[in-house]
Amino acid sequence: MKKSSIFKILTLFLTFVIFSCCSGCIFAIADYFNEKDLQKALEIQKEKKALADALVPEIEGYTFETRPESYFLGKEDWESQGFKIYSIFFASRDSFECRLERISENIEKYCVYRYQSNKIDLDQIGYVIPTEEQKAVFEIFPIFVTQSILYINEEFFLYSEMYSELYGWNAAGAIALFLLDFEKHKMYYVGYSKGWIEAELEDNQLYHWRRMCFKLTKNEGELI
């Protein structure tokens, strides 16, 4: 075999070895930074939980719970415990639209509309005016206007979500609910979904909202 051929083979071999080592380093660094980002995100969630726990519900009688799907044996298990998956619990969100409008320079209102059958014209149901204290809740649970209304057992709720600064809306962390009273044009903070952040901190991972189950109970156990 010619020396040039041997040299080419050795060169290719050394190139492969060096590339493999470098690739391993790159992947190791990537894994390190992913883990580092995860821990940072979890620490932020922990801080937000402390802020959310300090919020006082403005109306009694409601309990809002969340659990990862993986905590159940399957559909029959979570349904038997009164939980619903995200798509079912929030099924009514596509039937309504919420718009932030202004009454005056310093006063805002949330107008709720119901979609007509053709989904072009909207029928206004009513509006509510948030207090300054409730606006402070939105700092922890930013509201995503246009699809933030739930209609459950003839009651309207506005919901707002946490989000991860590192992972966006895919890892919300918790959802706050407000009961809407269109006659008085008021809204009342019900509370936020307990169990989501707790599961993230305990399991050392962020849970996607599509992989969560939700349960809202009223008046000591009545499912709604």
Side-chain angles (χ1 to χ4, degrees):
M1 183 180 294
K2 294 182 180 180
K3 291 183 178 180
S4 59
S5 298
I6 296 175
F7 179 78
K8 289 180 180 179
I9 293 173
L10 289 174
T11 301
L12 289 172
F13 177 76
L14 290 173
T15 301
F16 174 78
V17 172
I18 293 172
F19 176 79
S20 298
C21 292
C22 291
S23 297
C25 293
I26 291 172
F27 289 131
I29 292 173
D31 289 342
Y32 168 77
F33 280 111
N34 287 338
E35 177 63 22
K36 185 177 180 180
D37 286 347
L38 171 61
Q39 295 308 315
K40 182 178 179 181
L42 289 174
E43 187 61 32
I44 293 174
Q45 297 290 71
K46 185 177 180 180
E47 294 171 359
K48 287 182 178 180
K49 181 181 183 303
L51 294 173
D53 286 341
L55 299 173
V56 179
E58 299 171 311
I59 187 168
E60 298 181 353
Y62 293 89
T63 302
F64 190 23
E65 301 174 78
T66 319
R67 299 287 186 277
E69 284 186 18
S70 58
Y71 279 36
F72 302 93
L73 298 176
K75 180 180 178 181
E76 291 185 1
D77 188 17
W78 68 60
E79 287 184 344
S80 67
Q81 298 184 47
F83 284 85
K84 299 177 181 179
I85 59 173
Y86 182 92
S87 59
I88 295 178
F89 186 85
F90 290 87
S92 64
R93 70 189 186 279
D94 293 326
S95 300
F96 303 94
E97 180 174 306
C98 183
R99 296 178 182 175
L100 177 60
E101 301 178 4
R102 287 192 176 276
I103 296 178
S104 65
E105 183 178 352
N106 299 321
I107 301 179
E108 299 174 338
K109 65 178 180 178
Y110 286 102
C111 296
V112 178
Y113 297 85
R114 185 194 304 270
Y115 284 111
Q116 298 297 327
S117 59
N118 56 13
K119 290 198 172 184
I120 297 177
D121 298 325
L122 298 175
D123 177 28
Q124 182 173 324
I125 299 172
Y127 70 89
V128 294
I129 302 174
T131 63
E132 291 302 317
E133 291 77 9
Q134 291 167 347
K135 291 179 182 178
V137 178
F138 294 150
E139 296 180 5
I140 305 172
F141 298 90
I143 183 172
F144 183 66
V145 180
T146 69
Q147 282 192 338
S148 301
I149 297 297
L150 291 178
Y151 184 61
I152 306 176
N153 268 25
E154 300 184 350
E155 291 183 321
F156 284 93
F157 295 88
L158 181 148
Y159 68 91
S160 53
E161 306 174 64
M162 282 185 180
Y163 72 99
S164 168
E165 284 80 356
L166 297 174
Y167 295 92
W169 295 103
N170 288 333
I175 296 175
L177 289 183
F178 296 84
L179 180 66
L180 305 184
D181 185 339
F182 295 128
E183 292 185 2
K184 297 180 180 179
H185 305 301
K186 291 184 177 181
M187 52 191 290
Y188 305 93
Y189 174 60
V190 172
Y192 78 95
S193 54
K194 300 293 181 66
W196 191 331
I197 299 179
E198 291 86 340
E200 291 181 328
L201 297 176
E202 182 176 346
D203 301 338
N204 195 43
Q205 64 175 299
L206 297 177
Y207 282 105
H208 192 287
W209 46 268
R210 288 189 179 277
R211 294 293 177 263
M212 303 300 292
C213 295
F214 301 83
K215 179 170 72 171
L216 180 63
T217 55
K218 179 182 179 181
N219 298 330
E220 300 181 356
E222 178 188 352
L223 294 177
I224 70 172

